[in-house]
Amino acid sequence: MTGKERREQLLAVSRKLFAEKGFEGTSVEEIATRAQVSKPVVYEHFGGKEGIYAVIVDREIEALTAALTDPLTAGGHPRVLLERTALALLTYIETNTDGFRILVRDSPVAQATGTFSSLIGDVATQVEHLLADQFTRQELDPKTAPIYARMLVGMVALTGQHWLDSRSPAKADVAAHLVNLAWNGLSGLERRPTLTQGTPSPPRAS
């Protein structure tokens, strides 16, 4: 293998282990054994477990941010925007399950390089500006947009964490129920909610 190929192999092996066992439960020795290399090879490329974990977390944050940015900035009716964002997160979970498991775990390294909660905070900031515009149009107080943005994004994110393990009901149904609550409120829930935009084909897993 070239140095670049070896690095990518170590990242792939480590990503799987971190998803299965978490940061604390994974050792350099285990990474080396599964990659069929010696421990010094791991240290040579990443300086240790912390280094390889940081690279993996950074890549996952970048991938999830990219997945959520397009639906948040595509424009259109607010309900459609909400549907797209919910589907984007669920699709990311569906196609990048190991990566999402790593993001939602707690570890000192993750806290140093970026956590799922901090990422969600960044997404909420984007939503905040969109909500403020909508609030102004509807003669609502735009100063309340930040708290509503965090309510909305938090609801989607926590539902995604639950769906990570249950995978039931189907992705489109979960998104429809999310939109049902967020858009209609408890007093106006639809009995059989559906998406207005349909379900996009899932992308290939990275």
Side-chain angles (χ1 to χ4, degrees):
M1 283 188 184
T2 65
K4 182 178 180 180
E5 289 171 341
R6 178 64 72 191
R7 179 182 173 87
E8 291 303 317
Q9 182 218 16
L10 291 171
L11 285 168
V13 167
S14 300
R15 184 175 183 265
K16 193 70 177 178
L17 282 169
F18 288 137
E20 292 172 2
K21 301 185 175 184
F23 176 77
E24 296 297 338
T26 301
S27 67
V28 171
E29 182 176 4
E30 192 169 10
I31 293 170
T33 298
R34 191 170 292 193
Q36 297 182 333
V37 299
S38 63
K39 288 171 61 176
V41 172
V42 180
Y43 288 115
E44 177 186 349
H45 282 276
F46 297 99
K49 183 174 69 169
E50 292 80 6
I52 196 167
Y53 189 89
V55 172
I56 291 169
V57 169
D58 285 345
R59 284 188 175 189
E60 292 304 328
I61 287 176
E62 183 178 348
L64 181 51
T65 301
L68 295 178
T69 298
D70 286 345
L72 282 171
T73 57
H77 193 278
R79 173 164 180 156
V80 174
L81 182 148
L82 178 59
E83 290 183 359
R84 289 173 180 163
T85 303
L87 278 171
L89 177 60
L90 294 173
T91 299
Y92 172 85
I93 294 171
E94 181 179 53
T95 59
N96 296 275
T97 300
D98 285 346
F100 191 75
R101 286 190 190 281
I102 292 169
L103 286 181
V104 298
R105 288 181 184 272
D106 292 326
S107 90
V109 177
Q111 291 170 11
T113 60
T115 63
F116 182 63
S117 59
S118 68
L119 173 64
I120 291 305
D122 292 340
V123 173
T125 299
Q126 294 186 52
V127 174
E128 175 184 328
H129 297 301
L130 297 168
L131 285 183
D133 291 341
Q134 291 297 322
F135 280 22
T136 300
R137 292 192 189 101
Q138 297 179 39
E139 298 184 353
L140 299 171
D141 185 359
K143 293 180 181 179
T144 62
I147 191 169
Y148 277 98
R150 279 150 184 79
M151 290 176 191
L152 182 60
V153 174
M155 179 177 72
V156 175
L158 287 173
T159 301
Q161 286 183 253
H162 170 75
W163 191 72
L164 171 67
D165 293 314
S166 68
R167 296 300 172 96
S168 177
K171 178 177 66 177
D173 292 335
V174 174
H177 285 291
L178 272 168
V179 174
N180 191 23
L181 177 59
W183 188 256
N184 297 316
L186 287 172
S187 63
L189 288 178
E190 300 169 3
R191 289 184 178 275
R192 295 180 177 83
T194 58
L195 297 176
T196 62
Q197 296 296 296
T199 308
S201 300
R204 292 183 180 182
S206 62

